[in-house]
């Protein structure tokens, strides 16, 4: 399966959601979501590296919630798993789950970049 | 044989026993040309510009400059330092101003150690340096910094610079005026205090320390943000943000523009435009009132006539069925006409959607046919039916109505033909309305888009129809061209940019397909501290016919709601927000307007949340993972909007 097919399968619902908006609005949405997601992922990675649980949990929650709203279920579930581990006080487990969040986020960001090059 | 002296050196006996000897007289027992003297000279050359000695009366008795030193012994005058020297203590880096031979001044620093002979103070010895170059460079730097600071302060736009930790290091006067805050109070404060929503661009730690001297990089241009003043008030602004790296230090420079006036003016303009379009719609309907009345007369006549015939033929059921069928057809025509008029006259906010143009024009043509007198034939020629545009359907209808009405009026009382044509040309969709009426001369064509310009008699038209058309076409990114020949007719051709089909939703007619919920302008307040979600939900709900006020901050939303509570039909809020949770907000909303429906959305609905919601009377909890479409459907259900069922259900 090509990368495009793979992205279509994983993010098809998100693409369909974005397609419902007027083109200019959709591009702006892609830009905003992409910038916000990149920033949130950086924050979470940094906080997990410092083992700052109080800082990490809300960020993981936000990533999970917004990814779910955008129909990116894989990223949402990965971030939710990190959040649950943090809330349970299992920092090491949360850190072990971080690469999955990072990989899902990078997949989403790259897919959006390929599909919406006009979003910059 | 005397040894040669270094440049500027003086043959002078050193007065103090044990002190270094001059080059002219080596120390007793020391060989000529060797020993401590050459060593001393080398050290002085390396460490200072000159070596000096003074007697107990503070007169220079030895002056040994290094090569290249521009200071001469004659320039040194220790008398002004007399008070310092009389303390007979060591001193370091005492500044001295000396007049040079050229008339200028040189900045010097000298250091010295007291020298004691047999129980008596004998004078001083020390070193000195010419720091004139350094002082001049420092003054130039100070002047440059002062000039730069003055330039930044003179800027009419607010300039704020933050370091890699997000702390403010530059805050110019315009920023102080914008935020109502003194510079001293702002410096060192976190940027979030003034720009809470600046998080998306938040200083990137991985950018820090990447090396000195990289050219500034623009991170954002015209980024919309909300500024917060110390008194709690907030306002819209836009920011241009650049990343600067200077000598290993990372800085972010923000240039801010207050958009309060612009936003207010834009809102006022939109309101006026909307009012103008709506009033012009009413004017168009009024213009066509005669035709509409005539049509209804025909319908009523058909109903009454066939009812009479049916009554007279009750004994012949088959014949009665025919007459009843005609009554039913007439009724359906009437209902259809009413629906079209109501759809046309409805005042709703603009809804731009990527959609096929052909169905919009087809519907407009049907409306024209229904409203124009029967002697006017409206012909529709669609050369292409698959042209996609980003358009508001009701505004396209208004364009067609206005152009059709004008075409009809140009025909006068005579029967005639109006041709509506749709084609593609040069990447544009072109809709032309052609009549065989009286036409216009060049002078009239020049003015037809001027507001209030009309060729009709007083009281027969306001002259707003074509200006409204022009405004609508422009707002759609298009243009309009007019060709006309007096006595032969006119053609108005509207061109709209085409949109590629793959970026559009699946093709759908302008009427709502069965099952999709559509609002009728109900006002939803949406709150989420994640800006991208506010944007997405606002755009999605607006596309479905709802009016939306979106907020990223609970305090801001409540402040607005306290002024506009009566206008809002539903509040949708996120639960997990900094500073004020969705439950706390729900309590405040209930206080501001009891009974206002509220939907609380959360990514994780716990039992605690359910109980808290129940206590506050929050009836609707939404599980975010279900997605935006389901949230939109819940919004529609709470507002009592049934799924559309085609034109039948829209009257």
């Amino acid at each position: 399966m090509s990368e495009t097919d793979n992205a279509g399968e994983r993010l098809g619902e998100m693409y369909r959601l974005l397609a419902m908006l007027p083109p200019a609005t959709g591009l702006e949405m892609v830009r905003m979501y992409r910038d916000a997601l990149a920033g949130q992922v950086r924050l979470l990675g940094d906080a997990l590296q410092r083992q700052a649980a109080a800082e990490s949990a809300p960020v993981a929650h936000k990533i999970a919630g917004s990814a779910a709203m955008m129909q990116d279920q894989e990223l949402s579930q990965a971030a939710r798993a990190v959040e649950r581990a943090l809330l349970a006080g299992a920092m090491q487990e949360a850190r072990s789950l971080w690469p999955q969040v990072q990989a899902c986020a990078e997949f989403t960001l790259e897919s959006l970049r390929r599909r919406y090059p006009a979003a910059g | 044989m005397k040894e040669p002296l270094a440049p500027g050196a003086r043959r002078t006996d050193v007065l103090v026993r044990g002190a270094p000897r001059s080059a002219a007289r080596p120390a007793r027992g020391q060989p000529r040309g060797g020993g401590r003297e050459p060593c001393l000279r080398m050290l002085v050359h390396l460490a200072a510009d000159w070596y000096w000695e003074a007697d107990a009366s503070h007169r220079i008795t030895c002056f040994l400059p290094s090569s290249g030193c521009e200071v001469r012994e004659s320039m040194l005058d220790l008398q002004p330092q007399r008070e310092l020297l009389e303390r007979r203590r060591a001193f370091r880096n005492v500044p001295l101003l000396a007049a040079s031979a050229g008339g200028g001044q040189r900045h010097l620093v000298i250091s010295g150690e007291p020298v004691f002979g047999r129980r008596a103070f004998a004078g001083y010895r020390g070193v000195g340096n010419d720091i004139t170059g350094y002082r001049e460079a420092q003054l130039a730097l100070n002047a440059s910094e002062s000039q730069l600071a003055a330039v930044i302060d003179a800027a009419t736009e607010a300039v704020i610079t933050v370091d890699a930790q997000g702390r403010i290091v530059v805050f110019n006067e315009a920023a102080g005026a914008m935020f109502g805050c003194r510079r001293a109070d702002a410096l060192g404060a976190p940027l979030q205090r003034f720009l809470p929503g600046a998080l998306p661009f938040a200083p990137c730690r991985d950018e820090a320390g990447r090396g000195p001297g990289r050219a500034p990089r623009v991170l954002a241009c015209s980024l919309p943000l909300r500024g917060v003043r110390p008194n709690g008030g907030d306002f819209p602004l836009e920011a241009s943000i650049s990343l600067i790296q200077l000598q290993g230090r990372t800085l972010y420079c923000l240039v801010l523009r207050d958009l309060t006036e612009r936003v207010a003016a834009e809102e006022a303009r939109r309101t006026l435009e909307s009012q103008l379009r709506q009033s012009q719609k009413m004017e168009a309907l009024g213009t066509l009132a005669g035709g509409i009345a005539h049509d209804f007369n025909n319908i009523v006549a058909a109903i009454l006539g066939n009812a009479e015939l049916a009554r007279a033929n009750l004994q012949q059921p088959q014949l009665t069925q025919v007459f009843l069928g005609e009554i039913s057809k007439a009724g359906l025509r009437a209902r259809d006409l009413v629906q079209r008029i109501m759809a046309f006259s409805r005042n709703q906010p603009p809804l731009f959607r990527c959609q096929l143009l052909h169905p919009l024009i087809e519907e407009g043509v049907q409306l024209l046919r229904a409203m124009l007198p029967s002697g006017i034939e409206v012909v529709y020629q669609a050369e292409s039916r698959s042209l996609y545009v980003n358009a508001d359907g009701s505004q396209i209808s208004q364009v067609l109505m206005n152009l059709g009405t004008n075409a009809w009026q140009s025909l006068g009382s005579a029967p005639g033909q109006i041709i509506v044509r749709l084609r593609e040309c040069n990447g544009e969709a072109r809709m032309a309305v052609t009549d065989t009426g009286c036409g216009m001369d060049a002078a009239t064509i020049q003015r037809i888009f001027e507001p209030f310009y009309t060729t009709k008699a007083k009281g027969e038209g306001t002259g707003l129809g074509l200006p409204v058309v022009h405004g609508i076409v422009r707002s759609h990114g298009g243009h309009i061209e007019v060709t006309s020949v007096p006595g032969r007719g006119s053609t108005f051709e509207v061109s709209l940019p085409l949109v590629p089909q793959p970026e559009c939703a699946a093709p759908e007619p302008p009427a709502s397909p069965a099952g999709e919920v559509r609002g009728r302008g109900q006002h939803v307040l949406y709150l989420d501290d994640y800006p991208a979600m506010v944007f997405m939900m606002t755009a999605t709900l607006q596309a479905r016919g709802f009016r939306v006020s979106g907020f990223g901050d609970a305090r801001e939303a409540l402040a607005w709601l306290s002024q506009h509570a009566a206008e809002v039909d539903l509040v949708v809020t996120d639960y997990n927000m900094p500073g004020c949770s969705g439950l706390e907000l729900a309590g405040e909303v209930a206080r501001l307007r009891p009974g206002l429906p509220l939907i609380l959305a959360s990514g994780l609905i716990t039992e605690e949340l359910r109980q808290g919601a129940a206590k506050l009377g929050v009836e609707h909890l939404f599980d975010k993972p279900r997605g935006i479409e389901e949230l939109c459907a819940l919004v529609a259900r709470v507002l009592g909007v049934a799924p559309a069922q085609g034109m039948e259900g829209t009257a």
Side-chain angles (χ1 to χ4, degrees), chain A residues 80-110:
Chain A
R80 188 71 66 205
V82 169
E83 183 196 4
R84 286 202 182 100
L86 289 166
L87 290 175
M91 172 56 75
Q92 292 313 315
E93 185 188 344
R95 291 180 67 173
S96 72
L97 294 168
W98 160 243
Q100 179 65 12
V101 173
Q102 203 173 17
C104 287
E106 278 171 11
F107 180 88
T108 298
L109 289 169
E110 179 61 20

mmCIF file of all heavy atoms in Angstrom, chain A residues 80-110:
data_model
loop_
_atom_site.group_PDB
_atom_site.id
_atom_site.type_symbol
_atom_site.label_atom_id
_atom_site.label_comp_id
_atom_site.label_asym_id
_atom_site.label_seq_id
_atom_site.Cartn_x
_atom_site.Cartn_y
_atom_site.Cartn_z
ATOM 1 N N ARG A 80 -4.160 9.270 24.497
ATOM 2 C CA ARG A 80 -5.008 8.911 25.647
ATOM 3 C C ARG A 80 -4.293 7.899 26.543
ATOM 4 O O ARG A 80 -4.381 7.967 27.774
ATOM 5 C CB ARG A 80 -6.331 8.325 25.139
ATOM 6 C CG ARG A 80 -7.361 8.097 26.236
ATOM 7 C CD ARG A 80 -7.937 9.371 26.780
ATOM 8 N NE ARG A 80 -8.720 10.065 25.786
ATOM 9 C CZ ARG A 80 -8.949 11.379 25.782
ATOM 10 N NH1 ARG A 80 -8.442 12.126 26.720
ATOM 11 N NH2 ARG A 80 -9.668 11.944 24.855
ATOM 12 N N ALA A 81 -3.562 6.974 25.910
ATOM 13 C CA ALA A 81 -2.825 5.973 26.702
ATOM 14 C C ALA A 81 -1.757 6.651 27.560
ATOM 15 O O ALA A 81 -1.566 6.297 28.725
ATOM 16 C CB ALA A 81 -2.187 4.938 25.762
ATOM 17 N N VAL A 82 -1.089 7.639 26.976
ATOM 18 C CA VAL A 82 -0.082 8.383 27.747
ATOM 19 C C VAL A 82 -0.751 9.117 28.898
ATOM 20 O O VAL A 82 -0.265 9.112 30.044
ATOM 21 C CB VAL A 82 0.659 9.394 26.831
ATOM 22 C CG1 VAL A 82 1.510 10.347 27.650
ATOM 23 C CG2 VAL A 82 1.517 8.647 25.815
ATOM 24 N N GLU A 83 -1.894 9.732 28.612
ATOM 25 C CA GLU A 83 -2.606 10.475 29.667
ATOM 26 C C GLU A 83 -2.988 9.543 30.808
ATOM 27 O O GLU A 83 -2.812 9.882 31.979
ATOM 28 C CB GLU A 83 -3.859 11.128 29.082
ATOM 29 C CG GLU A 83 -4.620 11.975 30.107
ATOM 30 C CD GLU A 83 -6.031 12.302 29.657
ATOM 31 O OE1 GLU A 83 -6.468 11.815 28.589
ATOM 32 O OE2 GLU A 83 -6.713 13.053 30.378
ATOM 33 N N ARG A 84 -3.512 8.384 30.479
ATOM 34 C CA ARG A 84 -3.954 7.449 31.528
ATOM 35 C C ARG A 84 -2.759 7.017 32.386
ATOM 36 O O ARG A 84 -2.872 6.930 33.606
ATOM 37 C CB ARG A 84 -4.609 6.226 30.895
ATOM 38 C CG ARG A 84 -6.002 6.506 30.351
ATOM 39 C CD ARG A 84 -6.819 5.242 30.240
ATOM 40 N NE ARG A 84 -8.136 5.565 29.674
ATOM 41 C CZ ARG A 84 -8.488 5.390 28.411
ATOM 42 N NH1 ARG A 84 -7.644 4.861 27.556
ATOM 43 N NH2 ARG A 84 -9.681 5.739 27.991
ATOM 44 N N ALA A 85 -1.649 6.756 31.709
ATOM 45 C CA ALA A 85 -0.470 6.334 32.466
ATOM 46 C C ALA A 85 -0.025 7.439 33.412
ATOM 47 O O ALA A 85 0.311 7.199 34.571
ATOM 48 C CB ALA A 85 0.661 5.970 31.499
ATOM 49 N N LEU A 86 -0.064 8.676 32.946
ATOM 50 C CA LEU A 86 0.351 9.794 33.791
ATOM 51 C C LEU A 86 -0.602 9.969 34.965
ATOM 52 O O LEU A 86 -0.170 10.217 36.095
ATOM 53 C CB LEU A 86 0.401 11.075 32.966
ATOM 54 C CG LEU A 86 1.540 11.159 31.943
ATOM 55 C CD1 LEU A 86 1.303 12.290 30.967
ATOM 56 C CD2 LEU A 86 2.881 11.339 32.641
ATOM 57 N N LEU A 87 -1.886 9.851 34.710
ATOM 58 C CA LEU A 87 -2.865 10.021 35.786
ATOM 59 C C LEU A 87 -2.730 8.908 36.821
ATOM 60 O O LEU A 87 -3.048 9.111 37.999
ATOM 61 C CB LEU A 87 -4.284 10.037 35.212
ATOM 62 C CG LEU A 87 -4.642 11.285 34.382
ATOM 63 C CD1 LEU A 87 -6.015 11.144 33.768
ATOM 64 C CD2 LEU A 87 -4.567 12.545 35.223
ATOM 65 N N ALA A 88 -2.248 7.749 36.366
ATOM 66 C CA ALA A 88 -2.056 6.631 37.299
ATOM 67 C C ALA A 88 -0.714 6.708 37.995
ATOM 68 O O ALA A 88 -0.354 5.816 38.769
ATOM 69 C CB ALA A 88 -2.173 5.306 36.538
ATOM 70 N N GLY A 89 0.062 7.751 37.675
ATOM 71 C CA GLY A 89 1.359 7.919 38.326
ATOM 72 C C GLY A 89 2.457 7.066 37.725
ATOM 73 O O GLY A 89 3.521 6.907 38.323
ATOM 74 N N ALA A 90 2.216 6.539 36.534
ATOM 75 C CA ALA A 90 3.224 5.646 35.926
ATOM 76 C C ALA A 90 4.019 6.423 34.879
ATOM 77 O O ALA A 90 3.771 6.299 33.666
ATOM 78 C CB ALA A 90 2.516 4.434 35.285
ATOM 79 N N MET A 91 4.955 7.227 35.345
ATOM 80 C CA MET A 91 5.724 8.084 34.428
ATOM 81 C C MET A 91 6.536 7.264 33.439
ATOM 82 O O MET A 91 6.597 7.573 32.255
ATOM 83 C CB MET A 91 6.625 9.016 35.253
ATOM 84 C CG MET A 91 7.620 9.834 34.422
ATOM 85 S SD MET A 91 6.904 10.836 33.121
ATOM 86 C CE MET A 91 6.194 12.180 34.037
ATOM 87 N N GLN A 92 7.142 6.208 33.922
ATOM 88 C CA GLN A 92 7.998 5.410 33.018
ATOM 89 C C GLN A 92 7.163 4.783 31.911
ATOM 90 O O GLN A 92 7.575 4.728 30.736
ATOM 91 C CB GLN A 92 8.744 4.327 33.811
ATOM 92 C CG GLN A 92 9.792 4.879 34.780
ATOM 93 C CD GLN A 92 10.690 5.930 34.141
ATOM 94 O OE1 GLN A 92 11.182 5.776 33.021
ATOM 95 N NE2 GLN A 92 10.906 7.041 34.838
ATOM 96 N N GLU A 93 5.979 4.324 32.292
ATOM 97 C CA GLU A 93 5.101 3.737 31.270
ATOM 98 C C GLU A 93 4.702 4.817 30.253
ATOM 99 O O GLU A 93 4.688 4.566 29.048
ATOM 100 C CB GLU A 93 3.852 3.153 31.929
ATOM 101 C CG GLU A 93 2.958 2.430 30.912
ATOM 102 C CD GLU A 93 1.624 2.020 31.511
ATOM 103 O OE1 GLU A 93 1.509 2.025 32.763
ATOM 104 O OE2 GLU A 93 0.709 1.716 30.746
ATOM 105 N N ALA A 94 4.392 5.997 30.786
ATOM 106 C CA ALA A 94 4.005 7.097 29.882
ATOM 107 C C ALA A 94 5.142 7.398 28.905
ATOM 108 O O ALA A 94 4.931 7.603 27.710
ATOM 109 C CB ALA A 94 3.658 8.334 30.698
ATOM 110 N N ARG A 95 6.361 7.409 29.423
ATOM 111 C CA ARG A 95 7.504 7.696 28.566
ATOM 112 C C ARG A 95 7.725 6.588 27.539
ATOM 113 O O ARG A 95 8.126 6.859 26.408
ATOM 114 C CB ARG A 95 8.761 7.897 29.411
ATOM 115 C CG ARG A 95 8.714 9.179 30.224
ATOM 116 C CD ARG A 95 9.940 9.366 31.055
ATOM 117 N NE ARG A 95 11.103 9.593 30.210
ATOM 118 C CZ ARG A 95 12.293 9.915 30.667
ATOM 119 N NH1 ARG A 95 12.464 10.038 31.960
ATOM 120 N NH2 ARG A 95 13.304 10.096 29.869
ATOM 121 N N SER A 96 7.403 5.370 27.931
ATOM 122 C CA SER A 96 7.579 4.285 26.965
ATOM 123 C C SER A 96 6.526 4.364 25.859
ATOM 124 O O SER A 96 6.723 3.847 24.762
ATOM 125 C CB SER A 96 7.503 2.937 27.689
ATOM 126 O OG SER A 96 6.167 2.664 28.083
ATOM 127 N N LEU A 97 5.397 5.012 26.156
ATOM 128 C CA LEU A 97 4.326 5.143 25.149
ATOM 129 C C LEU A 97 4.519 6.374 24.263
ATOM 130 O O LEU A 97 3.850 6.537 23.247
ATOM 131 C CB LEU A 97 2.966 5.246 25.854
ATOM 132 C CG LEU A 97 2.520 3.988 26.609
ATOM 133 C CD1 LEU A 97 1.322 4.297 27.501
ATOM 134 C CD2 LEU A 97 2.189 2.872 25.640
ATOM 135 N N TRP A 98 5.441 7.226 24.650
ATOM 136 C CA TRP A 98 5.647 8.482 23.931
ATOM 137 C C TRP A 98 6.041 8.269 22.467
ATOM 138 O O TRP A 98 5.508 8.948 21.585
ATOM 139 C CB TRP A 98 6.662 9.340 24.678
ATOM 140 C CG TRP A 98 7.323 10.423 23.866
ATOM 141 C CD1 TRP A 98 8.645 10.522 23.585
ATOM 142 C CD2 TRP A 98 6.704 11.531 23.227
ATOM 143 N NE1 TRP A 98 8.892 11.639 22.820
ATOM 144 C CE2 TRP A 98 7.702 12.278 22.569
ATOM 145 C CE3 TRP A 98 5.382 11.987 23.138
ATOM 146 C CZ2 TRP A 98 7.453 13.432 21.856
ATOM 147 C CZ3 TRP A 98 5.135 13.145 22.415
ATOM 148 C CH2 TRP A 98 6.150 13.853 21.777
ATOM 149 N N PRO A 99 6.936 7.328 22.134
ATOM 150 C CA PRO A 99 7.305 7.160 20.729
ATOM 151 C C PRO A 99 6.106 6.884 19.819
ATOM 152 O O PRO A 99 6.080 7.318 18.666
ATOM 153 C CB PRO A 99 8.269 5.964 20.756
ATOM 154 C CG PRO A 99 8.852 5.989 22.118
ATOM 155 C CD PRO A 99 7.729 6.459 23.006
ATOM 156 N N GLN A 100 5.107 6.196 20.345
ATOM 157 C CA GLN A 100 3.923 5.903 19.542
ATOM 158 C C GLN A 100 3.169 7.197 19.229
ATOM 159 O O GLN A 100 2.712 7.411 18.097
ATOM 160 C CB GLN A 100 3.013 4.926 20.308
ATOM 161 C CG GLN A 100 1.733 4.569 19.586
ATOM 162 C CD GLN A 100 1.956 3.808 18.302
ATOM 163 O OE1 GLN A 100 3.053 3.345 18.040
ATOM 164 N NE2 GLN A 100 0.935 3.713 17.481
ATOM 165 N N VAL A 101 3.049 8.074 20.236
ATOM 166 C CA VAL A 101 2.379 9.363 20.024
ATOM 167 C C VAL A 101 3.153 10.176 18.984
ATOM 168 O O VAL A 101 2.583 10.748 18.052
ATOM 169 C CB VAL A 101 2.285 10.164 21.341
ATOM 170 C CG1 VAL A 101 1.743 11.563 21.086
ATOM 171 C CG2 VAL A 101 1.421 9.440 22.342
ATOM 172 N N GLN A 102 4.464 10.170 19.166
ATOM 173 C CA GLN A 102 5.320 10.927 18.263
ATOM 174 C C GLN A 102 5.172 10.420 16.827
ATOM 175 O O GLN A 102 5.026 11.201 15.887
ATOM 176 C CB GLN A 102 6.765 10.776 18.730
ATOM 177 C CG GLN A 102 7.674 11.881 18.264
ATOM 178 C CD GLN A 102 9.040 11.759 18.899
ATOM 179 O OE1 GLN A 102 9.408 10.712 19.419
ATOM 180 N NE2 GLN A 102 9.803 12.821 18.856
ATOM 181 N N ALA A 103 5.169 9.100 16.673
ATOM 182 C CA ALA A 103 5.069 8.515 15.325
ATOM 183 C C ALA A 103 3.711 8.844 14.695
ATOM 184 O O ALA A 103 3.634 9.224 13.526
ATOM 185 C CB ALA A 103 5.282 7.004 15.398
ATOM 186 N N CYS A 104 2.652 8.728 15.474
ATOM 187 C CA CYS A 104 1.310 9.020 14.939
ATOM 188 C C CYS A 104 1.211 10.494 14.546
ATOM 189 O O CYS A 104 0.650 10.833 13.501
ATOM 190 C CB CYS A 104 0.236 8.703 15.986
ATOM 191 S SG CYS A 104 -0.025 6.940 16.220
ATOM 192 N N ALA A 105 1.732 11.367 15.393
ATOM 193 C CA ALA A 105 1.658 12.798 15.103
ATOM 194 C C ALA A 105 2.461 13.126 13.847
ATOM 195 O O ALA A 105 2.006 13.904 12.993
ATOM 196 C CB ALA A 105 2.174 13.606 16.293
ATOM 197 N N GLU A 106 3.629 12.538 13.728
ATOM 198 C CA GLU A 106 4.456 12.807 12.555
ATOM 199 C C GLU A 106 3.774 12.297 11.291
ATOM 200 O O GLU A 106 3.812 12.952 10.240
ATOM 201 C CB GLU A 106 5.830 12.139 12.724
ATOM 202 C CG GLU A 106 6.773 12.990 13.565
ATOM 203 C CD GLU A 106 8.055 12.268 13.929
ATOM 204 O OE1 GLU A 106 8.311 11.188 13.362
ATOM 205 O OE2 GLU A 106 8.798 12.779 14.774
ATOM 206 N N PHE A 107 3.111 11.173 11.412
ATOM 207 C CA PHE A 107 2.374 10.626 10.264
ATOM 208 C C PHE A 107 1.268 11.593 9.844
ATOM 209 O O PHE A 107 1.096 11.902 8.666
ATOM 210 C CB PHE A 107 1.780 9.266 10.632
ATOM 211 C CG PHE A 107 1.005 8.634 9.510
ATOM 212 C CD1 PHE A 107 1.632 7.832 8.578
ATOM 213 C CD2 PHE A 107 -0.366 8.842 9.374
ATOM 214 C CE1 PHE A 107 0.929 7.255 7.533
ATOM 215 C CE2 PHE A 107 -1.079 8.268 8.334
ATOM 216 C CZ PHE A 107 -0.431 7.472 7.411
ATOM 217 N N THR A 108 0.528 12.074 10.819
ATOM 218 C CA THR A 108 -0.574 13.001 10.527
ATOM 219 C C THR A 108 -0.045 14.288 9.917
ATOM 220 O O THR A 108 -0.573 14.780 8.910
ATOM 221 C CB THR A 108 -1.350 13.314 11.811
ATOM 222 O OG1 THR A 108 -1.915 12.105 12.325
ATOM 223 C CG2 THR A 108 -2.454 14.325 11.550
ATOM 224 N N LEU A 109 1.008 14.841 10.515
ATOM 225 C CA LEU A 109 1.550 16.113 10.022
ATOM 226 C C LEU A 109 2.075 15.957 8.600
ATOM 227 O O LEU A 109 1.840 16.814 7.740
ATOM 228 C CB LEU A 109 2.666 16.598 10.958
ATOM 229 C CG LEU A 109 2.195 17.081 12.332
ATOM 230 C CD1 LEU A 109 3.376 17.290 13.261
ATOM 231 C CD2 LEU A 109 1.382 18.347 12.220
ATOM 232 N N GLU A 110 2.779 14.866 8.353
ATOM 233 C CA GLU A 110 3.333 14.649 7.023
ATOM 234 C C GLU A 110 2.216 14.428 6.004
ATOM 235 O O GLU A 110 2.258 14.954 4.887
ATOM 236 C CB GLU A 110 4.291 13.446 7.046
ATOM 237 C CG GLU A 110 4.919 13.104 5.702
ATOM 238 C CD GLU A 110 5.761 14.218 5.105
ATOM 239 O OE1 GLU A 110 6.189 15.132 5.846
ATOM 240 O OE2 GLU A 110 5.961 14.206 3.888
#
